[in-house]
Amino acid sequence: QRDMLGAWHFCMHSNPSKSTVLAIILSISGMLEVTIPGYAQALHAQGDAVLQEAKSKADPMELFEMFFLTPLSKIDPPRDCDGNLKRLIVILDAIDEMILKEMSGMLA
């Protein structure tokens, strides 16, 4: 099997607090911590104070870099039992249900 579902998040207009950029990134990151070997260690190697500062700024590009680009670039990609690379699939559904202000930050 060459595909691996790493994480998913479903935005809901009835729960705007779960549809912010920060909530989405933390949700997906939390799932990656348990589905991708080495991700949690690479994420927290940046320092919890640095991650907390990024969360407090809530800048979508900085969050994406800190929670995805940096840690994922430091670990080996997932492989199947035969050593073949697996594609990591992340599902983000109902992005159209985000608050407009949040959506523009996410799509920038």
Side-chain angles (χ1 to χ4, degrees), residues 14-85:
S14 61
N15 192 348
S17 68
K18 298 289 185 187
S19 298
T20 66
V21 171
L22 181 59
I24 292 166
I25 287 176
L26 294 179
S27 170
I28 291 172
S29 177
M31 286 186 218
L32 293 178
E33 287 191 66
V34 296
T35 58
I36 305 293
Y39 172 82
Q41 183 178 5
L43 174 67
H44 293 286
Q46 299 175 87
D48 289 332
V50 172
L51 295 174
Q52 189 61 41
E53 181 180 342
K55 286 192 267 186
S56 68
K57 289 182 190 175
D59 174 77
M61 298 307 285
E62 183 177 352
L63 288 166
F64 189 83
E65 183 174 331
M66 298 293 296
F67 283 84
F68 301 129
L69 294 180
T70 298
L72 289 171
S73 71
K74 299 198 181 303
I75 61 173
D76 292 328
R79 296 184 179 272
D80 66 17
C81 59
D82 294 323
N84 299 310
L85 290 175

